[in-house]
């Protein structure tokens, strides 16, 4: 007899996900001329040629509807000097951009100054996946700085350049 195991609990999935090290990004866009954004760790490169990436955003996020309506957004890969920025964009403030320096990308999306890397992307597909939307995007602009990337694991932030190699 084949019995199916019970699906994992939310608490177990949190424990599992804490074992995965991720980069730290802030996804931004313009909404009627006003900058909007949120911290996102569900980001990944899909393809290098053509350059395609994806980000996942929860439907209940106050920034979700703005991202769903727009054609372009920016993905800012945060540097170790931006702990205050990730804290701000992970919160619920109405004015997340106060005291945050940024420049518009070629299509107007906010590129955060001081980021390790930044890209502006054109949204090609919006896939609804349970509680989130997966945005599949073509990269239309990118730049990289010398800033060390911030990484996240087990509820804490780390210096991505200070990780010791294994081999």
């Amino acid at each position: 007899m084949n019995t199916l195991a019970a699906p994992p609990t939310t608490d177990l999935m949190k424990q599992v996900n804490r074992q995965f090290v991720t980069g730290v990004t802030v996804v931004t866009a313009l909404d009627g001329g006003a900058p909007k954004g949120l911290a996102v760790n569900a980001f990944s490169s899909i393809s290098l040629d053509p350059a395609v990436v994806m980000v996942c955003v929860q439907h209940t996020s106050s920034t979700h509807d703005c991202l769903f309506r727009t054609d372009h957004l920016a993905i800012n890969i945060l540097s170790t000097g931006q702990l205050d920025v990730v804290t701000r964009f992970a919160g619920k403030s109405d004015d997340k951009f106060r005291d945050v320096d940024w420049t518009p990308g070629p299509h107007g999306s906010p590129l955060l100054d001081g980021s390790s890397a930044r890209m502006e992307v054109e949204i090609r597909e919006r896939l609804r996946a349970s509680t989130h939307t997966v945005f599949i995007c073509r990269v239309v602009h990118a730049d990289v700085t010398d800033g060390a990337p911030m990484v996240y694991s087990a509820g804490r932030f780390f210096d991505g350049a200070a990780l010791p190699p294994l081999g």
Side-chain angles (χ1 to χ4, degrees):
M1 177 177 196
N2 186 5
T3 59
L4 297 176
T9 65
T10 301
D11 286 338
L12 176 58
M13 288 310 303
K14 286 180 181 179
Q15 291 175 29
V16 168
N17 289 337
R18 284 186 191 114
Q19 299 302 314
F20 190 69
V21 176
T22 67
V24 181
T25 71
V26 168
V27 174
T28 58
L30 290 180
D31 189 22
K36 301 283 186 178
L38 76 160
V40 172
N41 71 350
F43 158 78
S44 182
S45 172
I46 294 174
S47 170
L48 294 176
D49 187 17
V52 177
V53 299
M54 58 139 260
V55 294
C56 300
V57 177
Q58 191 168 20
H59 296 159
T60 57
S61 163
S62 61
T63 307
H64 177 271
D65 291 347
C66 160
L67 297 175
F68 202 85
R69 287 188 303 267
T70 194
D71 292 331
H72 292 83
L73 58 85
I75 301 165
N76 300 275
I77 299 172
L78 298 190
S79 70
T80 56
Q82 293 178 299
L83 189 56
D84 60 326
V85 173
V86 70
T87 302
R88 176 177 296 214
F89 281 88
K92 303 287 184 193
S93 169
D94 289 333
D95 190 10
K96 294 178 183 178
F97 281 84
R98 187 186 63 220
D99 299 325
V100 174
D101 294 328
W102 62 277
T103 54
H107 296 273
S109 304
L111 301 172
L112 302 183
D113 295 353
S115 296
S116 180
R118 312 174 304 178
M119 65 189 88
E120 189 171 29
V121 301
E122 178 186 17
I123 300 171
R124 290 294 183 91
E125 296 181 59
R126 296 161 180 83
L127 308 171
R128 293 192 180 257
S130 186
T131 58
H132 287 66
T133 297
V134 181
F135 295 91
I136 308 294
C137 309
R138 183 179 58 88
V139 179
V140 296
H141 170 80
D143 61 52
V144 178
T145 70
D146 290 336
M150 182 187 312
V151 296
Y152 179 81
S153 180
R156 296 177 56 203
F157 297 99
F158 297 90
D159 181 341
L163 300 174
L166 293 177

